[in-house]
Amino acid sequence: MKLIVPLVVTAALLGGAVAADAQQSRPGSKPAAPAKVDPVAQAYDQFLLAHRLKDEDDADGAMAAYKRAMALDPKSATIVAELADLHMRQNRAADAITTAEQALKIDPESRDAHRVLGTVYGSLGTAEDSRASREAQRDSLRKGIDHLERAVGPASARATTDVNLRAMLARLYVANEQYNDAIPVLAEIVKQEPGWVDGASLLVQAYVAAGRGEEAVRWLEDAVEISPQLYPTLADMYARQRRYAEASAAYERALKVSLRSVDLRVRFAGMLLGTGVEKDAVRARDVLREAVEMRAPDDRTLERALLLLAQAERRTGELDASERTARLAISQNRRSARAYATLAETFEERRKYQDVADTIAPAVALFRNDADPEGPLSLLLPHLGFAYQQLGQYDKAIATLQEAQKITGGDPSISFYLIQAQISAKRYSDAVASARQARVEQPDDLRLARLEAEGLRLGGKGDEAVGVLEQVVKRQAANPMAHVALAQIYQDTNKGSQAVKVLQDARTRFPQDTAITFELGSIYEKQKKFADAEVAFRQVIAQEPDHGPALNYLGYMLAERGERLSESVDLIKRALQTEPDNGSYLDSLGWAYFKDGKLDLAAEHLKRAADQMTTNSVVQDHYGDVLFRLGRYNEAIAAWSKALSGDREDVDHGGIDRKIKSAKQKLPRR
């Protein structure tokens, strides 16, 4: 409907009325015939009435007025498009589409009709809770884009088109993965509306999705000079590109702009934790503590701050604080699977596997009753299965990990723990079958190959075990750990000379890799070539003074032989500085003290090791020895009994039986 028409009609009507009055004023003249009312003018009156009723929230009255206007002026696409717009605003999508298409039959270039159709189809194509098929949604999205492109007009003239309409088109481009089409539209809008932060974020998203991340960074580096509120987005981009120093500086600038932003502090801390640098973990901890003390804008932000804080505290060795923070996160939201998992991770750091089981088992029961429990269970079951395995409850571990594997669709890390549990349970054929199945999807996973070989070896198929790892070395000759794995299986299958040769050749090829030299020392020790073993371990320590395994192995080897016990203690203490709760290191230190006759210190450390490594026969045997020497015969018998019911590796079963009989003879007669 052309708005110029009613103005002309009004003037004509006014002119006719003046003429009629003039005629009636002439003496003796005949009465004038009634002026004919133009239907177009009446349509305009109804059109204006519809607008007024719409503004008064009388949708039904407005629709009726629009329909009367349409009847009076059936050639006006504008009236029909306005009715379609009202249908759209009333969430009557089908009526809006039908009416807008009717307008296009009158005027195929009606931008208002295209705007309505573009908006409705775009909404249908991007609805998250839609019951339509994915293909139907994609079709709606394509239609929405087509109509909005026609609504905003040619690209050369779009800069003057309604900014909201262009923004809608840009969002649909992004939703339809037409990122290169979205970028120029968004860039123009953000230039016109620099305060539209969502537009900047959407533009960066489009750049990144289009593989133009460097352009996004350059654009942001310029944009922050005008719009400092974009510093967080720039910081996120730097972090994405692992430009951590620049990201940190950008976050610091962002915090100066938004002094009280909890969300910004949480994002900053998340980036710092991602660097893996110790000083960054300390900074993350401090930033998160500030965030927690501030008033979080919502419960979700507070929960994320607490979970990241617990992680930061764990990274900085503040395990008591980490446990408190994780418990606080659970108290804030008892339906947070991530909070339970975070607490479990802190317990795992301390090797407190019974605490892991006691925490996770009730949580698993809680989430089983959910309508969609798979998300929480996929997070929690691996922790529970691993805890059961460490506690020697292998049947529970296997059942739990099999369920986790089913839920996650065969996660390689879960397969790894499952196979370990099957080996510990002496279900070697199951372990081999599981390893082979997992290796179909992950043929180059060295961990899985080693487990397959271990299952074969323990199942009495040593040659097959060797063959598995020989094939791995052929495919992964550039991987130092493949050579280490092959050397281990050679040693375990009584091919010690071949084991040494593999490692000596590998050390020539990878002279800086301490894992090879460490393994060479281990094999020398097993072959009772103690002098050669000591040389190898000291070479590792010379390269890496904080190499915990080498410090511990050398210290334990000296203690076991009763040599240089003071040096032995010092070496193991250095190992414990790297991992204060490592049960193997605690056992080594306790054993060194035992050999040196310091029984109270021995008992202290061996108890910690025995409480942690309940199924390790060597540790339980050591603890029984010190208890016996302290005259605590009942406790010694209990420890030795655990040794016999444990993994039974590297212990003299008959010797332990004799020690139990000797302790029983020491008990008072009843």
Side-chain angles (χ1 to χ4, degrees), residues 1-10 38-51 65-66 68-83 103 106-107 109-113:
M1 172 177 172
K2 297 179 180 179
L3 298 182
I4 194 171
V5 173
L7 297 177
V8 175
V9 171
T10 301
D38 189 335
V40 174
Q42 289 182 311
Y44 181 65
D45 288 340
Q46 292 299 315
F47 182 81
L48 293 178
L49 174 61
H51 267 284
Y66 278 132
R68 290 193 294 271
M70 288 166 59
L72 290 164
D73 188 0
K75 294 183 179 180
S76 171
T78 301
I79 297 174
V80 184
E82 285 291 327
L83 177 57
I106 300 170
D107 178 7
E109 301 304 319
S110 170
R111 288 193 176 184
D112 284 335

Side-chain angles (χ1 to χ4, degrees), residues 85-150:
D85 181 84
L86 182 56
H87 282 312
M88 178 182 69
R89 294 176 188 277
Q90 294 296 308
N91 293 320
R92 297 167 63 173
D95 290 337
I97 290 172
T98 300
T99 309
E101 288 176 344
Q102 183 180 345
L104 290 179
K105 289 178 181 178
I106 300 170
D107 178 7
E109 301 304 319
S110 170
R111 288 193 176 184
D112 284 335
H114 285 300
R115 173 180 57 80
V116 170
L117 286 168
T119 303
V120 173
Y121 278 126
S123 178
L124 293 173
T126 57
E128 293 183 0
D129 57 349
S130 174
R131 295 182 180 178
S133 67
R134 182 59 185 155
E135 184 52 43
Q137 279 196 287
R138 297 289 291 186
D139 184 59
S140 294
L141 191 55
R142 287 189 290 267
K143 288 180 179 177
I145 289 171
D146 179 61
H147 285 292
L148 284 180
E149 285 177 337
R150 300 181 71 176

Side-chain angles (χ1 to χ4, degrees), residues 387-540:
Y388 283 145
Q389 179 185 341
Q390 294 300 309
L391 293 169
Q393 300 176 32
Y394 301 124
D395 289 341
K396 283 186 176 181
I398 291 168
T400 302
L401 291 167
Q402 284 176 332
E403 182 182 2
Q405 191 180 52
K406 183 178 179 180
I407 290 174
T408 60
D411 184 303
S413 62
I414 295 173
S415 298
F416 178 75
Y417 292 129
L418 172 60
I419 299 162
Q420 281 189 321
Q422 289 170 328
I423 289 174
S424 297
K426 297 181 172 54
R427 291 162 60 171
Y428 303 127
S429 59
D430 289 344
V432 171
S434 296
R436 286 175 174 169
Q437 182 178 354
R439 291 186 68 202
V440 171
E441 297 295 328
Q442 303 287 330
D444 295 323
D445 190 311
L446 179 59
R447 298 179 309 165
L448 294 173
R450 294 175 80 165
L451 286 174
E452 180 183 347
E454 183 70 358
L456 287 167
R457 181 185 72 82
L458 292 171
K461 299 178 180 179
D463 289 343
E464 285 187 52
V466 168
V468 167
L469 292 175
E470 285 177 338
Q471 288 299 315
V472 168
V473 169
K474 287 181 181 178
R475 294 196 304 272
Q476 301 185 38
N479 181 356
M481 294 309 298
H483 298 270
V484 169
L486 179 57
Q488 287 175 338
I489 201 69
Y490 277 146
Q491 176 63 31
D492 291 340
T493 53
N494 301 315
K495 296 178 174 66
S497 59
Q498 290 172 264
V500 171
K501 185 177 186 309
V502 165
L503 291 171
Q504 288 175 334
D505 291 345
R507 190 162 60 166
T508 301
R509 184 171 183 178
F510 309 104
Q512 299 303 314
D513 196 298
T514 55
I516 293 170
T517 306
F518 174 80
E519 188 60 32
L520 184 58
S522 171
I523 286 176
Y524 279 143
E525 188 274 336
K526 290 173 183 174
Q527 296 177 3
K528 302 189 184 305
K529 297 177 180 178
F530 301 116
D532 291 336
E534 182 171 343
V535 169
F537 291 135
R538 291 197 185 279
Q539 287 175 343
V540 173

Side-chain angles (χ1 to χ4, degrees), residues 183-217:
I183 288 169
V185 178
L186 287 165
E188 185 64 39
I189 297 173
V190 172
K191 183 178 178 181
Q192 291 177 322
E193 303 287 340
W196 185 36
V197 178
D198 285 349
S201 299
L202 201 61
L203 175 57
V204 171
Q205 177 188 340
Y207 269 127
V208 172
R212 297 163 61 180
E214 290 296 337
E215 291 180 63
V217 170

Side-chain angles (χ1 to χ4, degrees), residues 162 228 239 279 281 297 307 360 401 496 499 503 528 565 592 658 667:
D162 177 62
K279 67 180 180 63
L307 296 179
I360 301 298
L401 291 167
L503 291 171
K528 302 189 184 305
L565 293 174
R658 289 190 291 274
L667 295 175

Side-chain angles (χ1 to χ4, degrees), residues 24-25 121 165 168 220 272 301 380 395 460 468 623:
Q24 288 176 358
S25 65
Y121 278 126
L165 204 58
M168 189 187 310
L220 283 165
L272 289 168
T301 301
L380 298 177
D395 289 341
V468 167
Y623 189 38

